[in-house]
Amino acid sequence: MKPLIEITTVPIQIEMKTTNAKLEYARGTAEMEIHRDNGKLKIKSRPIKVNIDTFEARNSLSPTLARYLEQSAQKGKQAAYEATATYANQGQLLLNTQVGEELVTKFAEDIMMKDVKTNVGLDFLPKPGPEITWDPGEMSIRYEMDKLAIDWKMGEGSFEFTPGDIEFTVTQRPDIIIKYLGGPIYVPPSSDPNYVPVDVTV
């Protein structure tokens, strides 16, 4: 007699996908900046400077009003000193005069000698010469060399870690299949068209 029930089990199916861990290194970047400053050449030259002061020379030819008054006052003062000296000299002569000596002749001789000494009539113009001074020349040279500046910018490298991964996917769920292999069951059994009574006689 065959079994009436067939039981079939369907196992679970699991798909597993793994990803390995990764350690990645990113290289650092380097940047370089160059700055250049051009050199300079500066030359400064100042020629000699001659200063000629002709103020005193011009005043000796054509004096200003202030200088003219000063010179006139000086001459008057000098004349007063000379007159005082003359009168003192004449008084000295009078003191030393002897009886019978002619004083008029001595006074006349003194006056004539004075005029000869003072009124010669020769003079040099202009009396003072021009005052000449000078500032020495000057030359300066300044040179600056070119300047080159290099700036390095280094970027540090970095590590990036990617952890591993395990992925489970259930492609088929577990199941139990029960299949009935027999024919229909009639209740009562006598209603089965193929019913054969059971012989229970002994």
Side-chain angles (χ1 to χ4, degrees):
M1 183 177 180
K2 295 190 304 180
L4 298 178
I5 297 175
E6 181 182 359
I7 300 175
T8 305
T9 60
V10 179
I12 186 172
Q13 291 184 0
I14 299 175
E15 182 180 346
M16 183 176 64
K17 183 179 179 181
T18 61
T19 302
N20 297 329
K22 293 187 297 183
L23 179 62
E24 297 178 347
Y25 171 71
R27 293 184 178 179
T29 58
E31 296 180 0
M32 181 178 66
E33 295 182 0
I34 299 177
H35 302 280
R36 181 174 182 178
D37 296 333
N38 296 327
K40 298 178 182 179
L41 176 62
K42 295 182 180 179
I43 300 177
K44 183 179 180 181
S45 175
R46 186 181 66 184
I48 187 172
K49 182 180 179 181
V50 179
N51 304 315
I52 302 176
D53 187 4
T54 60
F55 180 76
E56 295 296 336
R58 286 185 286 106
N59 274 336
S60 65
L61 296 176
S62 177
T64 60
L65 180 60
R67 181 59 62 87
Y68 177 75
L69 295 176
E70 181 182 356
Q71 290 177 353
S72 299
Q74 187 67 25
K75 288 179 180 180
K77 188 176 180 181
Q78 185 67 25
Y81 287 156
E82 291 178 357
T84 303
T86 299
Y87 290 141
N89 191 15
Q90 291 177 358
Q92 187 68 26
L93 289 176
L94 290 174
L95 291 176
N96 295 330
T97 303
Q98 297 178 2
V99 178
E101 188 176 1
E102 295 182 0
L103 296 178
V104 178
T105 304
K106 290 186 177 181
F107 288 157
E109 290 178 355
D110 291 341
I111 293 173
M112 289 178 63
M113 292 301 296
K114 179 181 178 183
D115 292 338
V116 170
K117 292 180 180 178
T118 59
N119 298 325
V120 177
L122 295 177
D123 199 0
F124 294 95
L125 294 177
K127 291 182 179 180
E131 182 180 356
I132 300 176
T133 59
W134 63 87
D135 298 330
E138 180 182 358
M139 175 177 284
S140 61
I141 299 176
R142 182 177 179 181
Y143 174 69
E144 294 182 2
M145 298 180 62
D146 293 350
K147 295 180 181 179
L148 187 65
I150 300 176
D151 186 12
W152 287 92
K153 295 182 179 179
M154 300 292 296
E156 298 181 357
S158 60
F159 290 91
E160 182 178 355
F161 175 72
T162 303
D165 187 20
I166 300 177
E167 181 180 352
F168 293 93
T169 304
V170 177
T171 60
Q172 181 176 319
R173 296 179 178 275
D175 196 5
I176 298 176
I177 300 175
I178 301 175
K179 186 176 181 182
Y180 177 71
L181 299 178
I185 299 175
Y186 295 94
V187 178
S190 60
S191 61
D192 185 3
N194 298 324
Y195 176 75
V196 177
V198 180
D199 188 7
V200 291
T201 60
V202 180

